[in-house]
Amino acid sequence: MNFVFLCEKYHFEVNLIIEQGNTSTKVAIYAEGNLKASFVYKTFDKSKLKPLFDVYSLDKGIYSTVADVDEDLIAYLKECLSCFIYFDNDVRLPITIKYKTPHTLGKDRIAAVVGAYYLQPNRNILIIDAGTCITYELLEASGSYLGGNISPGMTTRFKALNDYTKKLPLVNEREEVPCWGTCTEDAIRAGVVNGIVFEMDGYIDKAKELYSDVLVFLTGGHSFYFESRLKNFIFADINLVLTGLNRILEYNVEN
């Protein structure tokens, strides 16, 4: 009932945002620049979209993936939307990419940068995305994306210690993490979590050496887990990639 009520209020154009990541697919509904609803799917195909078309007056859409391209999904979106963009290397961007190999640059990384620049224009920004991988992106106030780094995410690190050793157990994150582990599980948990915190704070400190006024955005599935653990002030925004994709869609419509 809530969905129907919301739909009846939307007499303006509504954007469909699809971001297919390494472990899940996020779908978002934007209207007038604002996020109205979001959904997460472990498995995803065009059948998941029909209920959304039944509820929302979807007009424009963008599809971004770091996985294999679903051609059936693209065909369905082209048929159902008046304006559809598949986010590839030919899509125009509101920032300048200075990465030496832009064709290898993950679209999720670009979208996070665009989202941060849309929310805080004309600022030097460091974007940290804590997901399956942890990425660090550096954007100048001029809108030039300089590049960034990639390291394993928290769950990836836990799994790697279990997969590549004979006896270390697979552990998961917990809210309370000691500085020093007094058992093997705590030693792994403290080593992974504290190691990521030190890594993030170290990158923030390095960015501040370049730009004293740098703003830091933290996004990704584990963003809120690390938000309170960092010594530096950050903006936590779990929807940064979705916001960036919506901005890229609108930018291409405008231009």
Side-chain angles (χ1 to χ4, degrees), residues 15 17 60-61 85 245-253:
N15 294 348
I17 313 300
K60 304 188 297 290
I85 292 174
L245 289 172
N246 187 64
R247 175 58 189 141
I248 292 168
L249 172 59
E250 292 292 351
Y251 181 80
N252 279 267
V253 172

Side-chain angles (χ1 to χ4, degrees), residues 202-238:
Y203 275 118
I204 295 171
D205 290 342
K206 278 296 182 182
K208 287 182 176 180
E209 291 178 11
L210 293 173
Y211 309 104
S212 59
D213 62 343
V214 70
L215 297 179
V216 181
F217 275 89
L218 178 63
T219 191
H222 284 121
S223 56
F224 294 121
Y225 182 80
F226 288 104
E227 178 185 7
S228 62
R229 302 175 190 274
L230 298 174
K231 69 178 183 181
N232 291 280
F233 175 79
I234 53 94
F235 295 97
D237 188 340
I238 198 169

Side-chain angles (χ1 to χ4, degrees), residues 9-15 30-32 36 57-59:
K9 292 174 62 179
Y10 297 160
H11 301 297
F12 36 80
E13 295 180 349
V14 180
N15 294 348
Y30 277 78
E32 296 188 325
K36 298 300 181 181
S57 301
L58 300 172
D59 180 69

Side-chain angles (χ1 to χ4, degrees), residues 11 62 66 72-73 86 94 102 129 136-137 165 191 194 216 226 231 242 254:
H11 301 297
I62 186 170
V66 298
D72 287 341
L73 176 62
Y86 168 60
D129 190 335
Y136 302 86
E137 320 294 354
T165 63
N194 294 330
V216 181
F226 288 104
K231 69 178 183 181
L242 297 174
E254 295 164 3

Side-chain angles (χ1 to χ4, degrees), residues 156-175:
T156 304
R157 298 184 196 207
F158 284 140
K159 288 182 178 179
L161 288 173
N162 176 244
D163 289 343
Y164 293 103
T165 63
K166 296 294 185 181
K167 295 184 178 181
L168 292 182
L170 177 63
V171 303
N172 298 310
E173 69 269 18
R174 288 181 181 172
E175 189 57 36

Side-chain angles (χ1 to χ4, degrees), residues 100-173:
K100 290 183 178 179
T101 56
H103 60 284
T104 68
L105 182 58
K107 299 300 182 287
D108 53 339
R109 296 174 64 190
I110 297 173
V113 173
V114 171
Y117 197 61
Y118 171 72
L119 295 174
Q120 292 288 340
N122 306 313
R123 300 294 301 268
N124 297 308
I125 305 174
L126 173 68
I127 302 99
I128 304 174
D129 190 335
T132 304
C133 296
I134 302 174
T135 59
Y136 302 86
E137 320 294 354
L138 195 59
L139 180 78
E140 287 188 327
S142 63
S144 293
Y145 168 66
L146 303 182
N149 296 340
I150 305 172
S151 70
M154 177 166 61
T155 302
T156 304
R157 298 184 196 207
F158 284 140
K159 288 182 178 179
L161 288 173
N162 176 244
D163 289 343
Y164 293 103
T165 63
K166 296 294 185 181
K167 295 184 178 181
L168 292 182
L170 177 63
V171 303
N172 298 310
E173 69 269 18

